Amino acid sequence: MSDSKSPLLDELEKGPWPSFVTEIKKAAEKSPMAQGLLEQLELSYKEKKTHWKHGGIVGVKGYGGGIIGRYSDSGDKFPDVAHFHTVRVNQPSGWFYTSDALRELMAIWERHGSCLTNFHGSTGDTVFLGTKTPELEGIFTELSEKGWDLGGSGSDVRTPSCCVGPARCEFACYDTLGLTYDLTMSYQDELHRPFFPYKWKFKMAGCPNDCVASIARSDFSVIGTWKDSIQMDTEAVKEYAADANFNIQKYVVNKCPSKCMSWDGEKLEIDNKNCVRCMHCINTMPKALRPGKEKGAAILIGAKAPIVEGAQLASVIVPFMEMKPPYQELKDLIAAIWEFWDENGVARERIGECIQRVGLGNFVEQIGLKPIPQMVLQPRDNPYIFYEEYLEEE
């Protein structure tokens, strides 16, 4: 018979994959909070129910976001995790850290918390898991002195995040890192002091590959694209054609979703007017094909995960916008959308849900955009559509 104090958790360490249980046990060697977490978690697996209760509001002076309150309902049994708050730290654009920066963060966390971290949360932040209420001001003070800041939580702007963009990727159509930093600095009040109907997420993707999954996870998605033709190196195309293991017709042309490509065995042609910027051909033949030269970004709105209702993908509201500092056109659009949301949103309603409720036509009209075909997410399924000009004539 095993003498283990956590037989159920031990099961999660078996198998070929790394286990979070192993990592908590490592932290528990020097952190009483991590040990308390193991004990409470074992009880939760045994009783098949959580022992965390709703945390309520907890934070640092001057900030309404950045700290997620968490308390145990069994604090008498596990006093070391009676408080187990989560601290979100605003990450650098593209998650580029130096080793010294990481050591700096970890030293602060070892002094004030459980030693457990999550790199990174879904929003993008560095996540410190588990600290007590009296430690919060100390954590914030030390982070601030080193130049770090808290991220977003609650009904505010969540920490903007992006792909690595032009720092590491040849396909980037705009400077995702620069825009992310600019939005982070421009919307400090909105990030730290919740006053929206619900959360708002910016995510910046440098090209249509969308490596940050912004189209599925962000209220306001900025995805790099281009207006002109795909750049083609004909000599490189010939190199691909000469490769006996590579079939251009099979692997590229036949997989084009809009059927805008043709290959006669010698010449590759692209009907760029019908290209939907899926990136498949560019990803498959990167030496021969490149995004066009007239680069910018498409703006999409309204994605969310399932909470009250089902998941929702973002849809286009601006097919192309130049992305150059100071990004005034983009910020004017954001201001108009926030004003609409402030007037029409209800509690715990994301902007995508708000648009669904009031109607895309009303939304587009009120934010000052002209309706265009690219805004159509899907064909209408209700034939009874009444147009305003007809009603006005009547």
Side-chain angles (χ1 to χ4, degrees):
M1 186 174 180
S2 174
D3 294 329
S4 173
K5 295 181 180 179
S6 56
L8 297 177
L9 291 181
D10 293 347
E11 287 294 315
L12 297 178
E13 293 187 278
K14 298 177 181 179
W17 310 112
S19 171
F20 72 93
V21 174
T22 302
E23 300 307 313
I24 297 176
K25 287 180 177 180
K26 288 180 183 177
E29 294 175 4
K30 55 183 176 181
S31 169
M33 291 191 78
Q35 180 59 45
L37 177 63
L38 284 170
E39 294 168 4
Q40 179 172 298
L41 197 54
E42 179 70 18
L43 180 63
S44 288
Y45 275 84
K46 181 179 179 180
E47 297 182 349
K48 298 181 180 180
K49 68 176 184 179
T50 182
H51 284 283
W52 299 117
K53 58 184 180 180
H54 191 274
I57 303 298
V58 61
V60 298
K61 291 180 181 179
Y63 280 40
I67 311 291
I68 297 99
R70 184 169 287 115
Y71 298 92
S72 170
D73 68 4
S74 303
D76 54 336
K77 297 179 182 177
F78 313 109
D80 289 315
V81 291
H83 300 187
F84 202 78
H85 308 314
T86 292
V87 180
R88 287 180 173 169
V89 181
N90 196 323
Q91 83 284 357
S93 295
W95 301 286
F96 282 103
Y97 298 88
T98 64
S99 298
D100 287 343
L102 289 173
R103 291 189 179 97
E104 184 176 88
L105 286 174
M106 294 307 101
I108 293 171
W109 190 229
E110 283 190 19
R111 285 193 289 273
H112 297 283
S114 69
C115 298
L116 297 172
T117 64
N118 176 4
F119 275 82
H120 291 85
S122 178
T123 297
D125 304 279
T126 305
V127 177
F128 289 169
L129 293 167
T131 191
K132 301 178 185 298
T133 303
E135 300 289 343
L136 294 176
E137 290 294 341
I139 294 170
F140 180 56
T141 298
E142 289 199 41
L143 287 171
S144 298
E145 288 175 349
K146 297 293 185 179
W148 299 92
D149 198 2
L150 298 187
S153 69
S155 298
D156 60 9
V157 169
R158 297 299 179 86
T159 313
S161 64
C162 64
C163 67
V164 296
R168 294 291 297 275
C169 180
E170 59 194 328
F171 297 149
C173 295
Y174 73 96
D175 184 357
T176 57
L177 309 168
L179 177 58
T180 299
Y181 179 76
D182 189 287
L183 294 179
T184 301
M185 301 306 291
S186 296
Y187 298 120
Q188 286 292 293
D189 274 356
E190 291 82 359
L191 206 158
H192 294 306
R193 297 167 183 88
F195 46 65
F196 288 153
Y198 202 20
K199 67 182 80 168
W200 173 282
K201 293 184 178 181
F202 288 113
K203 292 194 186 296
M204 276 56 74
C207 77
N209 280 324
D210 193 14
C211 292
V212 286
S214 66
I215 197 171
R217 304 191 302 143
S218 64
D219 303 272
F220 195 85
S221 171
V222 184
I223 300 179
T225 188
W226 61 94
K227 285 182 72 174
D228 54 346
S229 301
I230 293 174
Q231 299 181 70
M232 185 186 303
D233 183 334
T234 55
E235 293 302 314
V237 172
K238 292 178 182 178
E239 290 182 25
Y240 280 105
D243 185 347
N245 296 316
F246 189 84
N247 187 317
I248 292 178
Q249 183 68 40
K250 179 180 179 180
Y251 297 128
V252 182
V253 175
N254 291 352
K255 293 180 180 293
C256 175
S258 60
K259 306 302 179 186
C260 73
M261 305 185 75
S262 63
W263 169 250
D264 62 6
E266 294 183 1
K267 186 177 181 182
L268 181 67
E269 292 187 346
I270 303 174
D271 177 9
N272 281 279
K273 290 183 179 180
N274 287 312
C275 174
V276 294
R277 312 295 195 266
C278 76
M279 292 292 291
H280 173 73
C281 63
I282 296 175
N283 292 334
T284 310
M285 302 174 66
K287 293 181 181 179
L289 302 175
R290 284 284 188 278
K293 295 180 180 179
E294 195 175 350
K295 298 173 182 176
I299 311 301
L300 294 85
I301 196 162
K304 70 178 189 70
I307 300 179
V308 179
E309 297 182 15
Q312 186 171 311
L313 293 179
S315 57
V316 173
I317 55 168
V318 179
F320 185 85
M321 182 184 292
E322 286 193 354
M323 284 295 131
K324 296 179 180 178
Y327 311 106
Q328 195 55 51
E329 184 181 5
L330 182 71
K331 292 173 182 176
D332 290 343
L333 176 63
I334 293 167
I337 294 171
W338 283 352
E339 184 175 355
F340 166 87
W341 194 28
D342 184 50
E343 291 292 328
N344 296 278
V346 298
R348 295 185 65 80
E349 180 180 62
R350 301 282 284 271
I351 184 64
E353 295 168 316
C354 181
I355 294 169
Q356 273 190 331
R357 179 171 54 81
V358 304
L360 179 61
N362 292 326
F363 168 72
V364 170
E365 182 179 15
Q366 289 194 40
I367 67 172
L369 293 179
K370 292 182 179 180
I372 53 176
Q374 289 92 333
M375 293 176 178
V376 178
L377 182 62
Q378 64 189 41
R380 74 182 190 216
D381 52 16
N382 179 2
Y384 299 100
I385 302 295
F386 298 94
Y387 295 93
E388 289 184 9
E389 57 266 30
Y390 295 162
L391 295 175
E392 289 172 1
E393 289 175 5
E394 292 177 5

